[in-house]
Amino acid sequence: MSSAAVTSSRFTSGQAPKWLTPVVGLAAIILGAALSALIGFSVATWALFAGLIFVIAGPILIGIIEGRRKGSDAFARFLVYGTFLIALIPLVSVLWTVLSKGIPGLSGNLLTTSMNGVTGVVDNKTAAGDQPILGGIYHAIIGTLEITALATIISVPIGLLTAIYLVEYATGGPLSRAITFFVDVMTGIPSIVAGLFAASFFAFATGSPSTRTGFVAAVALSVLMVPTVVRNAEEMLRIVPNELREASYALGVRKWRTIMKVVIPTAISGIASGVTLAIARVIGETAPILVTAGFVNSINFNAFSGWMATLPTYIYYQIMTPTSPTSPQVSETRAWAAALILILIVMLLNLTARAIAKAFAPKTGR
């Protein structure tokens, strides 16, 4: 036997093989499925049993092979792995449910038509198999995009300028402390309160107690978006190194220009991510939209006049008040398809934010 083989054998003896962890994981998956089947199989119980077996069995085997100390270390490591997998259960469950129930409802008719003219008689014929599902979410998609875009246009400048003031100009005086306090309060405000505020404000301003438009809904959503944008932008601006600012000042560049040309470009990646998070938070809101924009079955392109529908309110009405009470499964299919489209829109917004952040981020190469 060569000296290299002897050395390798000496250093690897008493150590768990590299294939042990994946084998334990595979065995945990199989045993977890078996235990779940004994009490009525479900994905949640399967993942739970598999995670427990993985966390318990792995450290025991490593402890037998490598000793108690290594076993304790492995327990902490496997516990991290197991809790991560358990934390994925709700996400995987939601995605699986939405995909399995939403994909059958997807069609060209769903994406290109509204619910205008669709009645219970139409859904009864669909349930009987005489025709495909009629009625779509085109009007809700238009309303969602318009209201969210208006809310973003309102909240991003306000939030970004507020963050710039807190980081670059504030000196810790009463004004900055008051702004910080109110931003913290607004962060936890219930969404329905934001909707009631916007509805009351426009009712007082216009003199009409029933003013419901897409713009009113956008104002309500901006109340929810502003604190998120402020907090995220503030943190991103604070991590910009002061050396960059000082170098700019040393060259005689004014403060406002330093902020525009040095500070914001350096932090633009994080700011874009924060804006995306704010949009993702409000795009699925239902309560403030019901209070401020109402709900309609037809298309309304004018966000400043008339009621508008959004995907969340569309889903709510399809589930709570089916078009045909005797055939609610047709409305449920539309609702699940709308939920899938909403998730895809949020995913697309995240990808767009990443692309924007990458395009505008400062170049680090030579």
Side-chain angles (χ1 to χ4, degrees), residues 15 18 22 68 70-71 97 126 140 148 159-160 184 187 217 236 260 270 277-278 293 297 314 340 344 349 357 359:
Q15 293 184 3
K18 295 182 179 180
R68 181 177 179 182
K70 291 291 185 180
T97 303
T126 300
T148 306
L160 184 56
D184 291 339
T187 302
M236 292 302 104
M260 293 294 296
L277 290 174
N297 289 323
Y314 177 90
L340 178 58
L344 293 177
L349 288 173

Coordinates of all heavy atoms in Angstrom, one line a residue, residues 15 18 22 68 70-71 97 126 140 148 159-160 184 187 217 236 260 270 277-278 293 297 314 340 344 349 357 359:
Q15 N -14.5 8.8 10.4 CA -15.2 9.9 9.8 C -16.4 9.4 9.1 O -16.4 8.4 8.4 CB -14.4 10.8 8.9 CG -13.3 11.6 9.7 CD -12.5 12.5 8.7 OE1 -12.9 12.7 7.6 NE2 -11.5 13.2 9.3
K18 N -19.1 10.9 3.0 CA -19.8 12.1 2.4 C -21.2 11.8 2.0 O -22.1 12.7 1.9 CB -19.0 12.7 1.3 CG -17.6 13.2 1.7 CD -16.9 13.8 0.5 CE -15.5 14.4 1.0 NZ -14.7 14.9 -0.2
P22 N -26.9 12.8 2.2 CA -28.0 12.6 1.3 C -28.8 11.3 1.4 O -30.0 11.2 1.2 CB -27.3 12.6 -0.1 CG -25.8 12.4 0.2 CD -25.6 12.9 1.6
R68 N -19.4 11.6 20.3 CA -20.5 12.4 20.8 C -20.3 13.9 20.5 O -21.3 14.5 20.2 CB -20.5 12.3 22.4 CG -21.6 13.1 23.0 CD -21.6 12.8 24.5 NE -22.6 13.6 25.2 CZ -22.8 13.6 26.5 NH1 -22.0 12.8 27.3 NH2 -23.8 14.3 27.1
K70 N -18.8 15.3 17.8 CA -19.2 15.5 16.4 C -20.7 15.3 16.2 O -21.4 16.0 15.4 CB -18.5 14.5 15.5 CG -17.0 14.8 15.4 CD -16.7 16.1 14.6 CE -15.2 16.3 14.4 NZ -15.0 17.5 13.6
G71 N -21.3 14.4 17.0 CA -22.8 14.2 16.9 C -23.5 15.4 17.4 O -24.5 15.8 16.8
T97 N -50.8 24.4 -4.5 CA -52.2 24.5 -4.5 C -52.7 25.5 -5.6 O -53.6 25.2 -6.4 CB -52.8 25.0 -3.2 OG1 -52.3 24.1 -2.1 CG2 -54.3 25.1 -3.2
T126 N -71.7 26.0 -18.6 CA -70.3 25.6 -18.5 C -70.2 24.4 -17.5 O -69.5 23.4 -17.8 CB -69.5 26.7 -17.9 OG1 -69.5 27.9 -18.8 CG2 -68.0 26.3 -17.8
A140 N -59.8 43.2 -14.5 CA -59.1 43.2 -13.2 C -57.6 43.4 -13.4 O -57.0 44.1 -12.5 CB -59.4 41.9 -12.5
T148 N -51.8 50.2 -9.1 CA -50.5 50.0 -8.5 C -49.4 50.9 -9.1 O -48.6 51.4 -8.4 CB -50.0 48.5 -8.8 OG1 -51.0 47.6 -8.3 CG2 -48.7 48.2 -8.1
G159 N -41.3 58.8 -0.5 CA -40.4 57.9 0.3 C -39.0 58.1 0.1 O -38.2 58.2 1.1
L160 N -38.5 58.3 -1.1 CA -37.1 58.5 -1.4 C -36.6 59.8 -0.9 O -35.5 59.9 -0.3 CB -36.8 58.3 -2.9 CG -35.4 58.4 -3.3 CD1 -34.5 57.4 -2.6 CD2 -35.3 58.2 -4.8
D184 N -42.6 54.8 11.6 CA -42.8 53.6 12.4 C -44.2 53.3 12.7 O -44.7 52.1 12.6 CB -42.0 53.7 13.7 CG -40.5 53.7 13.6 OD1 -40.0 53.3 12.5 OD2 -39.8 54.2 14.5
T187 N -45.9 52.1 9.5 CA -45.5 50.7 9.1 C -46.5 49.7 9.5 O -46.7 48.7 8.8 CB -44.1 50.4 9.6 OG1 -43.2 51.4 9.1 CG2 -43.6 49.0 9.1
A217 N -58.1 54.7 -4.7 CA -57.4 53.5 -4.2 C -55.9 53.6 -4.3 O -55.2 53.1 -3.4 CB -57.9 52.3 -5.1
M236 N -30.5 51.7 2.9 CA -29.6 51.6 1.8 C -28.6 52.8 1.7 O -27.5 52.7 1.3 CB -30.3 51.4 0.5 CG -31.1 50.1 0.3 SD -30.0 48.6 0.4 CE -30.3 48.1 2.1
M260 N -27.1 63.0 -6.0 CA -27.7 62.5 -7.2 C -26.7 61.6 -8.0 O -27.1 60.7 -8.6 CB -28.1 63.7 -8.1 CG -29.3 64.5 -7.5 SD -30.8 63.6 -7.5 CE -31.0 63.3 -9.2
G270 N -30.3 48.4 -3.9 CA -31.1 48.1 -2.7 C -32.4 48.9 -2.7 O -33.5 48.4 -2.3
L277 N -40.5 45.3 -3.0 CA -41.1 44.8 -1.8 C -42.4 45.6 -1.5 O -43.4 45.0 -1.1 CB -40.2 44.8 -0.6 CG -39.0 43.8 -0.7 CD1 -38.0 44.0 0.5 CD2 -39.5 42.4 -0.7
A278 N -42.3 46.9 -1.6 CA -43.5 47.7 -1.3 C -44.6 47.4 -2.3 O -45.8 47.4 -1.9 CB -43.1 49.2 -1.3
A293 N -62.2 51.8 -4.4 CA -62.4 51.7 -5.8 C -63.7 50.9 -6.2 O -64.1 50.8 -7.3 CB -61.2 51.1 -6.5
N297 N -67.8 44.7 -13.3 CA -67.5 43.6 -14.1 C -67.0 44.0 -15.5 O -66.7 43.1 -16.3 CB -68.8 42.7 -14.3 CG -69.2 42.0 -13.0 OD1 -68.3 41.5 -12.3 ND2 -70.5 41.9 -12.7
Y314 N -61.5 40.8 -7.5 CA -62.1 39.9 -8.4 C -62.1 38.5 -7.7 O -63.1 37.8 -7.7 CB -61.3 39.8 -9.7 CG -61.8 38.8 -10.7 CD1 -62.7 39.1 -11.6 CD2 -61.2 37.5 -10.7 CE1 -63.2 38.2 -12.5 CE2 -61.7 36.6 -11.6 CZ -62.7 36.9 -12.5 OH -63.1 36.0 -13.4
L340 N -53.3 32.8 -9.6 CA -52.0 32.4 -10.3 C -51.5 33.6 -11.1 O -50.3 33.8 -11.1 CB -52.3 31.2 -11.2 CG -51.1 30.7 -12.0 CD1 -49.9 30.3 -11.1 CD2 -51.5 29.5 -12.9
L344 N -47.8 35.5 -10.7 CA -46.9 35.7 -11.9 C -46.6 37.2 -12.0 O -45.4 37.5 -12.4 CB -47.6 35.1 -13.1 CG -47.7 33.6 -13.2 CD1 -48.5 33.2 -14.5 CD2 -46.4 32.9 -13.1
L349 N -42.5 41.4 -11.5 CA -42.0 42.7 -10.9 C -40.7 42.5 -10.2 O -39.8 43.3 -10.3 CB -43.1 43.2 -9.9 CG -44.4 43.8 -10.5 CD1 -45.4 44.1 -9.4 CD2 -44.1 45.0 -11.3
A357 N -31.9 47.1 -11.1 CA -30.8 47.2 -10.2 C -29.5 46.9 -10.8 O -28.5 47.5 -10.6 CB -31.1 46.4 -8.9
A359 N -28.8 47.0 -14.0 CA -28.5 47.9 -15.1 C -27.9 49.3 -14.5 O -27.0 49.9 -15.1 CB -29.7 48.2 -15.9

